[in-house]
Structures are given as structure tokens and as C-alpha cells.
Amino acid sequence: MMAGVGGGNDFQWCFSQVKGAIDEDVAEADIISTVEFNCSGELLATGDKGGRVVIFQREQESKNRLLSRGEYNVYSTFQSHEPEFDYLKSLEIEEKINKIRWLPQQNAAHFLLSANDKTIKLWKISERDKRAEGYNLKDEDGRLRDQFRITTLRVPVLMPMDLMVEASPRRIFANAHTYHINSISVNSDYETYLSADDLRINLWHLEITDRSFNIVDIKPANMEELTEVITAAECHPHQCNVFVYSSSKGTIRLCDTRAAALCDRHSKFFEEPEDPSSRSFFSEIISSISDVKFSHSGRYMMTRDYLSVKVWDLNMENRPVETYQVHEYLRSKLCSLYENDCIFDKFECCWNGSDSAIMTGSYNNFFRMFDRNTRRDITLEASRENSKPRAMLKPRKVCTGGKRKKDEISVDSLDFNKKILHTAWHPKENVIAVAATNNLYIFQDKIN
Amino acid sequence: MSGEVEASTEEQQEMQDTVVSPEKAEEVKLKARYPHLGTRPGGSDLLRKRLQKGQKYFDSGDYNMAKAKMKNKQLPTTAAEKTEITGDHIPTPQDLPQRKQSLVASKLAV
């Protein structure tokens, strides 16, 4: 029984924590829409459909904890975006947070970008653990003192207070997207970032909110000729002039901002050739890429389409170097998945810190991990039934036909409402965060 | 010799015809249920629907006229799903979805 995906053979994934309500009736606002660790892994942010951000912080490691690592506790929570109505365009703008991206930490405060369909905001999260006491003109409770009663002058003293974490919006980057923002990505220069919607990609400077450069525009002159849209975009982790964007036709374009001001012409074009005889009505829909992520090394990138995850070598455009089947058994269910709209679900994918493993979600609260070195894969489940502290996760298996073995689940019994679209892997350790609708699960490894 | 080669390609073709890929079988199923699907390329229809997400049409003149009409006769209530045909449907007070801001704290932060 294979369990050691991601860090070697003597390896088991175990339950650590679960956040969120248990009740069956899930309010739409509570559905988690993005999960992201910060660069050190100390903080874990979630965004939801209600426009709220919750940040968890890992508790300091203490000598007593030998079997498990620090737990994540609530650090800060705030309302990032609110619902809006654009009266000019008769457009309802959802408050749902589509993406959160952390900025690298440069001082005591933490900064993150959060985006809904139309607006990106830069939030500063800072700690306050001291308070000035002994003001001359006002009492401790804030009331103004009677000036004529003041006979002496004193210097206020900084006294410790209970830790308060404050979140404040420092920049609001608005009015630059006609279509719906699907991605934001911080550049390695720590000065700029890109935001992508269905047809355009803009480059921003973090300090400047009233201007942004449009660097990709695929809007056709005649909208009737529209054949593809941008589905995801990301900056290269080291080369600040390189970024990629994926399309609904299953292609990826790599662009170089040094080549031209408008990067409509790609530098590299990644597409896997398709067997024309196998083409069906569903081909284009299931080839649509829902997520693209560079490896930490910057040498590879990974794309997620409906049924598979592909790893591409940036030096080879004509086909991926690795392809992993996530849930191939769904190929014979495409008709019903089209009818219930599940075929349009946008799954994300992520790398582990060393790029040796990748993870992505599936249905029935299953998520999949692939070890690139050993080529082994595992299916695990995020479920309340297996949520005892440090309980080991048992591999799950979907039965595709014929006799169903004990512990296997048949394809027809899968719950397609339990989708794991968003997962995140700690940048350095084997700790993962999995969003299952309105619950956030945190799993850790347990070294045998 | 050539006769044999021809025969084997025929056999291959027969095999291919009987073994239909699961994807093609699903396509047949879908076309049987929705015969008009795919008369236009699936791509642009779906793409346009995607780009139009969030679009709502509201004309205060039409709205007030419809409200006035309501006093005389009951307007048929519309189904919950959003229609893409603009201009055909005048929103009435009961149709407008209740938009309220989520001032409640996230349950993850408990």
C-alpha cells in the first residue's frame, strides 16, 4: 500500500486540523474560493464567496511536540471585497475572492493581494502589541482632561498590550478589467504584478493604482470570432521578464516582456498534438486549462485540464514531459457531467516545495498526489469521518467497473457536489491545506 | 500478397468501428438528448455565456411600468433560473434577488 508520496518511502499523511462549520446546510458565502500559504509557510490565507479573508498562523514549535508540527490558528480575518453593482454596464459584481497571493515579506508586516472579478486590493496585516499610556491631554479611557487641572507634564510610555492584528487596505487597483479576473501573480522583482481576465492581461506597479499596462489583449475585433479565452496566468519565479498564460483550448503561451510592449506574440507556444480521429464534442471543453503553475525551480510548469495534470519542460513546446491521469474514469460520464455543468469545474494544482510531487483535487472530496520520481500516485479523502488528531489517512480507490472490492467506491456513487478545487502545499514542509467546500482541512506527514 | 494486405486493413477498420471510444459514446448520448446542440461550434456559445456572467438588465422605466401593471393583474412569476434573453423579461419586485452583504464573520475564524 503506497503512502509515501511527496517525501520518501517512510511517509504517511495524517489528519491535523479541520476548520469550518459541520452543518449540512452550507451557506453560499462560506464556500472557500482560494487557499494560499505565504512564502515562509507561517501564514495560511483563505478567501471565500462572501468576500472574506481568514488568515491562520502556525503556532511556534515547542519542544513538547514531537509527533506533530505546529497547528494553524486564526490570526486575522477581514472583509476584503463587497458585492457591487455596475449601473453603467448593468453588471452584478460578486464579492467572491478569486485569488489571494502573498507578497514576499520585507518587514514586520505581511502584505497580500486579493482579487474578486473586477478589483484587486493590497492588504497590510500588522501586529500591534504596545500601546502608549500616560497622555497629557486625555485620560486612559480617552476622555479629554480638564486643561486647567493639568499641573505637570509627562512623557507617555509604551506599555505592552494584548496582541492585536490589524488588516488595512493599502492600495485598491480598480477599473482595469472589463472581463472577470481569473489570476493574479506577483513578479520576482517584488515591484510589479500581473492580473489576467478572460481576454486581457495587465501589468501593475504595486505603488501605482491609477495606471496599469495592458500586456496581452486577445479580444477579437468582432466578438463573433471569439474562439478562446485566457484561463490562467503566472509570472516566472525567477525571470521577471517572463510570464505564461493558458487558454480554454488547452494551449500555453510563454511571453517575454523584453520583446515588445504588447506581448500578443508569444515567445513560446506549448500544445500537445491531438489525435484528430479521437476528437469529440467534449474534446475542447475538457482540454481547457484551469490552472497553470511554474515549478519552484522555474524549469518546469504544470497545467491542469479536466481529466489530467501535465508537466511541461519550458524547453520543449511540442508535448508535456509528464502526464498524470486524475480521474480518467470520468471520461465515460462526460454526458452527465456536461448536463450538470461539472465539466466546467476549475480545478487547481500545486507543487510541493522540492518539486518532487504534485497535488490536485477531484470529486467526492478526494484529492490526488503524484510523486514525480517514483511515479506512484495516491488518492486521499478530506472527510470528517477521518478527523481524529493525527489519524492516518487511508488511500481511497475508485472502482471503474466489474466487481467492486470492499473499501472501493464505484464511479456512480461519487458525490459531484463535493469538489476539491483548491489545495495548497507548504513551501518547505509536508503540510497541505485542502478546501472542501466550506471546510478547510490541514494534513501533515508523520514520519515513521 | 496485396489481397492479403487489403483484407487485414478491412479487418482493422471493422475493429475500430466496433470499439467506440468512451468519449464518442458519451457524445452520441448527448446529441440524442439535445439534437440542436453543436449546430454552432460549442466553443463560442459557451465562451460568450462565460463572458456575460453577472450581466443583469434593469430599466427603471420598465420596472415602474411593470409595477403599475401589477396592480391590475398578477404577472406570472418567473422561474428562478436567469434567462439570457435580454429585454424580454421585466424584473418585478419579487424577482429581484436579495443582495445582502455578508457582515457575518467567517465560520473558519471561530
Side-chain angles (χ1 to χ4, degrees), chain A residues 218-428:
Chain A
I218 65 167
K219 184 176 179 195
N222 179 4
M223 284 298 270
E224 295 285 315
E225 288 164 12
L226 181 70
T227 54
E228 67 183 323
V229 293
I230 297 169
T231 51
E234 199 180 44
C235 292
H236 191 277
H238 315 307
Q239 295 167 34
C240 59
N241 54 298
V242 172
F243 67 93
V244 291
Y245 68 93
S246 59
S247 85
S248 52
K249 277 185 153 175
T251 64
I252 310 101
R253 288 170 178 81
L254 184 144
C255 301
D256 188 334
T257 52
R258 295 173 305 186
L262 190 59
C263 298
D264 277 1
R265 262 199 305 224
H266 52 262
S267 296
K268 293 194 183 184
F269 182 73
F270 297 83
E271 186 179 32
E272 181 164 29
E274 190 203 6
D275 177 10
S277 64
S278 68
R279 190 162 179 83
S280 77
F281 174 83
F282 303 109
S283 298
E284 190 173 306
I285 301 172
I286 62 173
S287 73
S288 176
I289 292 171
S290 48
D291 195 15
V292 64
K293 293 260 171 50
F294 278 106
S295 64
H296 294 91
S297 65
R299 174 150 172 216
Y300 299 96
M301 68 177 174
M302 160 167 62
T303 57
R304 174 68 155 100
D305 52 72
Y306 190 60
L307 298 178
S308 68
V309 182
K310 296 178 179 169
V311 176
W312 303 77
D313 184 326
L314 294 186
N315 297 316
M316 189 160 76
E317 298 166 56
N318 60 354
R319 59 179 170 82
V321 288
E322 295 152 35
T323 301
Y324 302 94
Q325 301 302 335
V326 181
H327 37 217
E328 178 67 17
Y329 47 78
L330 295 183
R331 201 180 285 270
S332 52
K333 301 284 169 197
L334 293 177
C335 179
S336 39
L337 292 169
Y338 178 88
E339 288 180 290
N340 61 21
D341 274 353
C342 283
I343 205 174
F344 302 107
D345 284 337
K346 297 182 178 58
F347 292 94
E348 291 173 7
C349 53
C350 60
W351 298 85
N352 71 343
S354 61
D355 297 336
S356 64
I358 58 186
M359 167 167 64
T360 189
S362 178
Y363 294 104
N364 209 71
N365 278 354
F366 287 173
F367 57 99
R368 304 264 285 136
M369 283 177 178
F370 304 93
D371 188 318
R372 296 177 64 215
N373 300 323
T374 62
R375 292 307 175 120
R376 293 194 293 195
D377 62 272
I378 190 170
T379 306
L380 299 171
E381 183 181 0
S383 122
R384 291 264 176 184
E385 281 164 20
N386 197 19
S387 54
K388 280 202 283 282
R390 295 192 291 283
M392 268 176 4
L393 294 184
K394 207 175 67 169
R396 307 287 283 140
K397 193 146 162 55
V398 176
C399 162
T400 50
K403 260 177 103 78
R404 184 178 75 89
K405 297 200 194 95
K406 184 176 106 105
D407 283 353
E408 284 186 358
I409 181 165
S410 79
V411 182
D412 296 310
S413 311
L414 295 174
D415 187 343
F416 290 97
N417 291 316
K418 291 190 178 166
K419 324 168 197 255
I420 291 186
L421 305 173
H422 313 286
T423 59
W425 206 313
H426 189 287
K428 300 184 176 89

Side-chain angles (χ1 to χ4, degrees), chain A residues 29-48:
Chain A
D30 291 329
I31 296 173
I32 300 169
S33 49
T34 185
V35 185
E36 189 83 355
F37 281 100
N38 76 335
C39 308
S40 65
E42 183 209 349
L43 299 179
L44 175 61
T46 60
D48 65 22

Side-chain angles (χ1 to χ4, degrees), chain A residues 90 92 277 331 335 339, chain B residues 23-24 33-34 54 56 99:
Chain A
S90 282
E92 189 169 51
S277 64
R331 201 180 285 270
C335 179
E339 288 180 290
Chain B
E23 215 176 293
K24 289 244 171 83
R33 285 187 210 174
Y34 308 100
K56 286 190 156 60
R99 298 253 355 142

